[in-house]
Amino acid sequence: MVRVAAVGDIHMGLDSQGLLRPAFETLPDCADLLLLAGDLTRHGTPEEARVVAREVRDLPVPVVAVLGNHDHHDEQPEKVTALLQDAGVTVLEGEGTVVECAGTRVGIAGTKGFGGGFVGRSAGEFGEPVMKEFVRTTRRSADSLHAALKELDAQGCAARVALTHFSPVADTLAGEPPEIHPFLGSYLLAEAIDTAGADLAVHGHAHLGTEHGMTAGGVRVRNVAQPVIRRAFNVYRLGAD
């Protein structure tokens, strides 16, 4: 059994140093790895990224992350990524990574994702170029997630996790105003997860949403935005009955 700790939307600023470190230092007692589901900073500045980096540096479990929309706001996602990587974090965007833990090869496929909406209430690649590009951005992200999950399967991973910031399902948005659902996620991410296969999908972004959901194909989805789970992280088990 693999224990996966996960949290998103920690939104750390210059006044946040040390808030999560005490909880993160307990991870070896309850988890085998830590997933960070985006929006790690408030405005995506390098200064805020350094706060996050100090919070997770030299943790005794592997740390894997994706960025969120807040981490892109200052238009320096490459610097944010580099600072996190320097602290030992594996940052994914359309890629996968394999973590050896609890005697098991666990594959994590990660991408930020994007909006677009869900079946019956979704945007299409039609009309103005800017509208087409909005949907194509999500489709490219979903395609990269699908490819990464397939590659992890080919590498013989016993368990696979899809890590995104935007939601793949509407289930975990319950509590958010329906009018903004198209900006909180896309069914294309769920299609990628179901067709490629995964044991768990983890996302953030929906602060007023609900923790538990499921794709049409039966993959467990968990919204780990910190305002939803109301703690430093939640732990999910893979390989358990």
Side-chain angles (χ1 to χ4, degrees), residues 57-97:
R57 185 181 297 276
D58 298 325
L59 286 179
V61 300
V63 183
V64 182
V66 295
L67 300 187
N69 55 303
H70 279 248
D71 306 317
H72 281 256
H73 180 69
D74 201 48
E75 299 184 8
Q76 301 188 75
E78 295 84 4
K79 288 187 179 180
V80 173
T81 295
L83 288 163
L84 293 174
Q85 289 174 332
D86 185 61
V89 179
T90 300
V91 183
L92 302 175
E93 180 48 58
E95 305 158 307
T97 189

Side-chain angles (χ1 to χ4, degrees):
M1 180 180 67
V2 178
R3 303 165 301 171
V4 179
V7 66
D9 302 83
I10 56 178
H11 292 288
M12 304 203 84
L14 301 184
D15 59 346
S16 303
Q17 193 66 60
L19 289 180
L20 293 176
R21 182 71 188 196
F24 285 165
E25 288 179 347
T26 71
L27 282 165
D29 299 327
C30 58
D32 302 300
L33 71 155
L34 172 64
L35 303 182
L36 300 176
D39 277 6
L40 311 180
T41 65
R42 293 176 187 166
H43 303 99
T45 67
E47 293 77 15
E48 292 174 344
R50 289 187 183 96
V51 174
V52 180
R54 288 193 291 269
E55 209 78 349
V56 298
R57 185 181 297 276
D58 298 325
L59 286 179
V61 300
V63 183
V64 182
V66 295
L67 300 187
N69 55 303
H70 279 248
D71 306 317
H72 281 256
H73 180 69
D74 201 48
E75 299 184 8
Q76 301 188 75
E78 295 84 4
K79 288 187 179 180
V80 173
T81 295
L83 288 163
L84 293 174
Q85 289 174 332
D86 185 61
V89 179
T90 300
V91 183
L92 302 175
E93 180 48 58
E95 305 158 307
T97 189
V98 179
V99 177
E100 298 275 355
C101 53
T104 303
R105 286 171 57 82
V106 179
I108 299 101
T111 186
K112 176 175 66 69
F114 202 50
F118 302 91
V119 176
R121 296 177 176 85
S122 61
E125 293 179 46
F126 184 85
E128 301 91 333
V130 68
M131 189 64 189
K132 294 175 185 175
E133 183 57 25
F134 180 89
V135 178
R136 286 170 183 165
T137 298
T138 304
R139 189 174 298 281
R140 286 193 294 267
S141 182
D143 288 347
S144 70
L145 181 65
H146 179 275
L149 285 167
K150 293 290 286 184
E151 176 60 26
L152 292 170
D153 186 44
Q155 292 181 35
C157 292
R160 289 174 293 160
V161 180
L163 174 62
T164 64
H165 180 61
F166 285 76
S167 178
V169 296
D171 297 4
T172 52
L173 306 184
E176 294 279 3
E179 294 83 358
I180 69 169
H181 283 197
F183 306 103
L184 298 178
S186 169
Y187 77 96
L188 295 174
L189 296 170
E191 283 191 350
I193 292 166
D194 280 341
T195 55
D199 300 281
L200 176 68
V202 172
H203 74 89
H205 195 43
H207 292 197
L208 301 179
T210 302
E211 181 183 359
H212 295 264
M214 186 172 290
T215 68
V219 177
R220 290 180 296 158
V221 180
R222 298 294 180 261
N223 176 3
V224 298
Q226 195 174 53
V228 172
I229 63 174
R230 298 179 180 273
R231 62 192 69 186
F233 54 83
N234 266 2
V235 177
Y236 306 99
R237 289 164 175 79
L238 302 177
D241 291 337

